[in-house]
Amino acid sequence: MQNWLVAGLTVVPAHRRRGIAARLLQDVVDKVHHSAAGEPIFSVINAQNLASIRLHEVLGFEEVGRAGTFSRIEFTGGEGVLLRRE
């Protein structure tokens, strides 16, 4: 089993709120499903980024934990969210 991790998925501010992040994240989900069906996908997000958390939830991710660091990533404000999609 492999671990798939999404981190640092960012859209330039001038291009936000156009569905770009949703298409990028959905493409990641589709590619993992195609190449490794049944493998979970993890994503780490700054806890202050509520729009990103909501987007992940819409695409089937569920929160599994919060911490100051995940995979050596530190978060502004001191807390990150780990999400998982089966």
Side-chain angles (χ1 to χ4, degrees), residues 20-31 58-59 85:
I20 296 169
R23 289 192 302 269
L24 288 170
L25 185 56
Q26 184 63 59
D27 192 48
V28 169
V29 168
D30 292 345
K31 297 260 189 270
V58 165
L59 293 179
R85 184 180 193 275

Side-chain angles (χ1 to χ4, degrees), residues 17-86:
R17 306 286 185 244
R18 298 181 187 181
I20 296 169
R23 289 192 302 269
L24 288 170
L25 185 56
Q26 184 63 59
D27 192 48
V28 169
V29 168
D30 292 345
K31 297 260 189 270
V32 171
H33 177 74
H34 177 73
S35 65
E39 298 283 336
I41 306 169
F42 294 90
S43 187
V44 291
I45 304 169
N46 188 305
Q48 297 175 348
N49 192 341
L50 300 179
S52 184
I53 293 169
R54 280 189 221 105
L55 169 62
H56 281 74
E57 290 171 345
V58 165
L59 293 179
F61 286 80
E62 296 181 351
E63 184 176 326
V64 294
R66 289 180 179 241
T69 62
F70 286 108
S71 297
R72 292 179 280 176
I73 299 169
E74 294 184 16
F75 301 93
T76 302
E79 185 175 52
V81 180
L82 176 65
L83 299 115
R84 176 184 173 139
R85 184 180 193 275
E86 292 295 329

Side-chain angles (χ1 to χ4, degrees), residues 1-13:
M1 175 172 8
Q2 295 184 26
N3 287 314
W4 300 89
L5 175 66
V6 178
L9 185 95
T10 305
V11 176
V12 175

